[in-house]
């Protein structure tokens, strides 16, 4: 519905909240429309403004989709982005009809007001409650993905591990609502952590004869999720939860 209301001159803006990441949803939507090969994703930060500008210019001509993540991290580039969006309306007839511009940003006072006024805004928030979190995670899993790990009769094990990962993800997100009783420091775990862990899980099972438990627990607990954790006790809690659910 959101895409149907958009056009080549109107950006789609995702207003982020902690724990929410619309990237996986945009990627899934692009795959569903068989447009994933024409999606360009750029995570903004220091020095990425010029890259983003060049990518948008190419996308306008070729008809690509352009997703600029974390615009709030590129404060000095926001005036340039404002000019680029204004130019979309002026040059509409010269822009490829398939071109779309997606933006994601945390609420920030320096985000250009004109872009907010002219764009289509969508607020993304993490699901509240274990049930809602699991429902969202399961909704992103396709039969094709579940059947993609069939080597060495590991299909059943793969299904169980995907279920365990989903529970693990839901629980560590839900612990945040308990403040320092849940985590000493509030971490921004999001859907991309779960998606990465599922991808690595499939890769490990397809490559190894036996289930590589040590590698699986290390990559999931210490890297994909643990990479965000800075407190020693939080890390210990995270690893204990991974041992229970994976």
């Amino acid at each position: 519905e959101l895409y149907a209301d958009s056009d080549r001159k109107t950006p789609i803006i995702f207003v982020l909240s902690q724990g929410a990441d619309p990237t996986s949803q945009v990627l899934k939507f692009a795959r569903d429309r068989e447009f994933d090969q024409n999606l360009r994703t750029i995570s903004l930060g220091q020095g990425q403004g010029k890259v983003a500008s060049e990518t948008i210019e190419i996308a306008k001509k070729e008809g690509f989709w352009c997703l600029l993540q974390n615009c709030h991290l590129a404060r000095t580039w926001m005036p340039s982005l404002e000019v680029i969006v204004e130019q979309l309306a002026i040059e509409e007839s010269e822009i490829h009809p398939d071109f779309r511009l997606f933006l994601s940003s945390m609420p920030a006072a320096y985000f250009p007001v004109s872009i907010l006024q002219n764009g289509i805004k969508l607020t993304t928030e993490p699901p509240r409650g274990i049930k809602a979190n699991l429902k969202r995670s399961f909704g992103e899993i396709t039969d094709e993905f579940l059947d993609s790990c069939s080597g060495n009769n590991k299909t059943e094990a793969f299904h169980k591990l995907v279920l365990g990962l989903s529970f693990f993800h839901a629980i560590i997100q839900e612990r945040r609502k308990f403040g320092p009783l849940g985590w000493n420091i509030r971490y921004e775990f999001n859907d991309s952590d779960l998606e990465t862990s599922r991808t690595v899980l499939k890769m490990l099972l397809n490559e190894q004869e036996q289930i590589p438990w040590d590698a699986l627990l290390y990559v999931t607990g210490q890297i994909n999720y643990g990479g965000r954790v800075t407190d020693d006790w939080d890390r210990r809690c995270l690893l204990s939860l991974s041992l229970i659910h994976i």
Side-chain angles (χ1 to χ4, degrees):
E1 295 179 4
L2 190 69
Y3 179 80
D5 292 338
S6 68
D7 55 40
R8 53 192 166 184
K9 71 177 187 299
T10 306
I12 298 174
I13 307 161
F14 295 96
V15 182
L16 305 177
S17 59
Q18 283 192 336
D21 183 8
T23 304
S24 60
Q25 298 172 35
V26 175
L27 291 173
K28 182 177 182 297
F29 180 65
R31 283 194 296 268
D32 291 343
R33 296 182 64 91
E34 298 182 350
F35 212 81
D36 51 316
Q37 297 299 320
N38 294 328
L39 174 63
R40 302 293 182 267
T41 304
I42 298 174
S43 183
L44 290 177
Q46 187 174 8
Q48 291 300 300
K50 182 179 179 181
V51 176
S53 298
E54 293 173 352
T55 303
I56 291 173
E57 286 302 315
I58 295 172
K60 285 160 57 177
K61 297 175 183 177
E62 302 293 334
F64 296 158
W65 292 357
C66 187
L67 170 61
L68 303 184
Q69 300 170 286
N70 303 319
C71 292
H72 58 282
L73 299 180
R75 180 171 185 169
T76 57
W77 187 68
M78 286 298 97
S80 300
L81 178 61
E82 185 175 17
V83 173
I84 290 173
V85 173
E86 289 174 353
Q87 287 294 111
L88 294 180
I90 299 172
E91 303 172 353
E92 182 179 5
S93 59
E94 302 174 11
I95 300 173
H96 195 288
D98 289 337
F99 169 75
R100 293 293 186 277
L101 178 62
F102 299 87
L103 308 172
S104 72
S105 176
M106 295 287 285
Y110 49 82
F111 192 88
V113 175
S114 63
I115 297 179
L116 290 172
Q117 291 174 337
N118 298 322
I120 299 174
K121 296 168 286 295
L122 179 68
T123 302
T124 58
E125 294 195 6
R128 298 185 179 183
I130 296 290
K131 183 177 180 180
N133 208 309
L134 287 172
K135 186 176 180 181
R136 176 168 172 174
S137 296
F138 294 156
E140 296 174 352
I141 301 173
T142 62
D143 290 339
E144 181 183 359
F145 176 77
L146 291 175
D147 295 335
S148 62
C149 183
S150 56
N152 301 320
N153 299 317
K154 293 177 182 173
T155 302
E156 184 178 354
F158 180 59
H159 291 180
K160 291 180 178 179
L161 286 168
V162 169
L163 176 65
L165 270 175
S166 299
F167 267 98
F168 171 68
H169 179 76
I171 287 170
I172 65 172
Q173 279 204 318
E174 195 64 16
R175 285 181 69 91
R176 291 184 305 182
K177 77 177 185 181
F178 297 101
L181 294 177
W183 302 108
N184 289 329
I185 300 173
R186 188 178 178 89
Y187 303 105
E188 292 188 30
F189 300 117
N190 56 49
D191 294 340
S192 62
D193 299 325
L194 176 59
E195 184 179 6
T196 302
S197 296
R198 284 197 296 239
T199 303
V200 171
L201 168 63
K202 183 179 75 171
M203 180 189 70
L204 290 174
L205 290 185
N206 283 331
E207 291 180 352
Q208 304 292 329
E209 289 291 331
Q210 301 295 326
I211 299 176
W213 293 108
D214 291 341
L216 176 59
L217 289 169
Y218 183 84
V219 171
T220 303
Q222 296 278 16
I223 300 176
N224 294 342
Y225 287 91
R228 300 180 183 275
V229 178
T230 55
D231 182 85
D232 290 338
W233 288 105
D234 285 344
R235 182 177 296 276
R236 183 173 180 177
C237 178
L238 181 76
L239 296 176
S240 297
L241 288 171
S242 69
L243 285 170
I244 294 170
H245 295 285
I246 299 177

